[in-house]
Amino acid sequence: MPDPAPANLPNEEHLPPDYQNFIPALRNVGYTFEESVADIVDNSIDAHATHVRIRFVIREGGQVDLLIADDGRGMNAEELRNAMVFGTQQTVEVQRQRLGLFGLGLKMASIAQAKNVHVVSLKNGALSGRAWTDDGLQRGFYCEVLDRASMERITPLSRIPSDAGHGTWVLWENLRRYEDQFASPDVLCDQLIRLLQKHLGLHLHGFLSPHGSLTISLDVVRQVLRNGVPTLTAGPKSDVKPFDPFGYGASVHPGYPAIFIAAGEYSDKLAITGHIWPPNSESDNYKLPGGAVRRQGIYFYRNGRLISGGGWCGIKETDTHDSLGRVEIHLSNVELERNTSGTN
């Protein structure tokens, strides 16, 4: 292995970013709200959670926060510290098993949607907590270590980790992209819940009950102060329903579903199955969010998680006559998405 390059070369100069301009740019890298939430749920699945609670918290004055809590294995202080690093590195073998690849999902998804993100985790009876705040980021990526009092202001927002004895709370404080809608917080929460029902139901359908072992529940709570004590009033709860693009039972077309083998070096890295839906189906699995015509085409999965659903990737144009056709492709090798070259 060659020796590392000298730390200070004559023709080099260390130029850290102007954080006050860099952080706002980082917050607007293109994450949609539903994609951001799905990235956090991916972490819950990687932690072997069986229940994820997505809870909108309406504060006095109308500010809306979001809590994502799970009953996964949780993190100790060192594991949480590593999880809060932007670009946490994992070995290739670990990456093969995880839904997240680049160690950015928790942080990037969170700061894209919220002014501050607080993470509290419970493992082996011990709580650990950290926060990325707007102030800490703009001062040069200073991550706050939460004290016990700060953590205990977050843990009462959901009993799921506490009741299980392990798990994680992720609190997005102030959904900043929606501040102009805080005057009608109930309407806002209702809109975002419908959005999440569709996106999570489709992209995580393989993990959701009754097919999988995961339940995702959605609800809204109001937090008010009574004699100085925060009190939660919960609204109705709903579970995310899976939308399975291939959940049609038996095909009426001979030879389908059909197994295809990729040519050459990709033959053992792609599992490809062609499907033709029965005509005139009224199933939600056929219609899907966005409509059946838009949802025809190719569906890419990684470790059972849908990462791209519908469209023909430039192979052909979308046609109403082809709305019954769907192709299921499972990526079984992380190198297809990231050129790791066997390195960590």
Side-chain angles (χ1 to χ4, degrees):
M1 178 179 292
D3 292 334
N8 296 296
L9 294 177
N11 61 345
E12 285 187 334
E13 179 184 1
H14 181 221
L15 291 177
D18 180 338
Y19 291 110
Q20 292 199 1
N21 290 320
F22 178 63
I23 298 305
L26 198 65
R27 290 184 181 278
N28 292 281
V29 293
Y31 271 94
T32 66
F33 176 77
E34 62 273 23
E35 289 169 342
S36 295
V37 173
D39 263 19
I40 306 302
V41 179
D42 284 349
N43 290 339
S44 299
I45 294 171
D46 284 337
H48 305 294
T50 62
H51 193 143
V52 176
R53 171 168 290 159
I54 300 173
R55 169 165 282 176
F56 291 87
V57 182
I58 302 175
R59 308 288 189 180
E60 287 189 301
Q63 176 181 304
V64 178
D65 299 346
L66 184 70
L67 179 78
I68 305 171
D70 68 55
D71 63 355
R73 58 177 173 246
M75 295 174 281
N76 60 31
E78 183 62 21
E79 290 168 334
L80 178 56
R81 179 189 181 278
N82 292 337
M84 296 296 274
V85 174
F86 281 76
T88 305
Q89 292 296 304
Q90 302 284 353
T91 66
V92 172
E93 289 307 313
V94 170
Q95 288 174 352
R96 290 183 196 278
Q97 304 302 319
R98 292 177 59 86
L99 299 184
L101 271 181
F102 300 104
L104 289 171
L106 168 63
K107 287 76 65 176
M108 293 295 291
S110 297
I111 69 170
Q113 303 301 327
K115 185 175 181 180
N116 306 313
V117 55
H118 304 259
V119 182
V120 177
S121 203
L122 175 63
K123 184 174 184 177
N124 298 328
L127 284 173
S128 305
R130 284 185 174 258
W132 281 117
T133 66
D134 192 55
D135 175 69
L137 287 166
Q138 295 203 37
R139 286 190 294 109
F141 286 82
Y142 285 91
C143 185
E144 180 182 348
V145 180
L146 300 182
D147 58 24
R148 185 80 185 187
S150 298
M151 291 188 287
E152 290 180 349
R153 284 193 291 269
I154 294 171
T155 56
L157 293 174
S158 171
R159 291 294 308 170
I160 286 175
S162 299
D163 288 345
H166 47 79
T168 300
W169 297 258
V170 177
L171 178 64
W172 290 354
E173 187 179 59
N174 191 336
L175 298 182
R176 58 182 190 83
R177 291 188 176 183
Y178 301 98
E179 284 182 316
D180 61 343
Q181 299 180 53
F182 284 177
S184 303
D186 293 292
V187 174
L188 171 62
C189 293
D190 185 59
Q191 293 172 345
L192 295 178
I193 283 175
R194 291 201 302 270
L195 194 65
L196 291 176
Q197 291 274 17
K198 295 175 182 178
H199 186 85
L200 299 178
L202 176 59
H203 286 263
L204 300 178
H205 71 86
F207 301 95
L208 293 168
S209 301
H211 306 293
S213 59
L214 179 69
T215 299
I216 303 175
S217 62
L218 295 154
D219 66 2
V220 181
V221 300
R222 287 185 175 274
Q223 186 179 67
V224 298
L225 293 176
R226 294 178 179 170
N227 299 320
V229 178
T231 302
L232 297 179
T233 302
K237 178 178 73 70
S238 60
D239 289 341
V240 175
K241 171 188 173 184
F243 293 104
D244 182 355
F246 310 102
Y248 53 80
S251 176
V252 298
H253 295 269
Y256 284 87
I259 306 298
F260 298 94
I261 305 298
E265 62 179 301
Y266 296 107
S267 61
D268 63 341
K269 299 175 182 177
L270 297 173
I272 308 173
T273 307
H275 299 263
I276 299 178
W277 267 79
N280 304 314
S281 176
E282 292 296 320
S283 169
D284 289 339
N285 290 327
Y286 171 63
K287 297 177 181 179
L288 295 180
V293 173
R294 176 189 165 197
R295 290 298 185 178
Q296 66 180 272
I298 301 173
Y299 288 71
F300 289 98
Y301 292 81
R302 180 177 180 273
N303 289 343
R305 199 262 207 218
L306 179 63
I307 55 178
S308 178
W312 292 104
C313 301
I315 297 173
K316 65 181 295 298
E317 296 294 325
T318 298
D319 189 316
T320 55
H321 298 292
D322 296 326
S323 64
L324 301 179
R326 294 174 183 171
V327 180
E328 179 182 6
I329 301 180
H330 288 264
L331 309 176
S332 59
N333 197 313
V334 72
E335 283 83 358
L336 291 173
E337 296 180 76
R338 179 184 183 187
N339 183 17
T340 59
S341 302
T343 59
N344 292 351

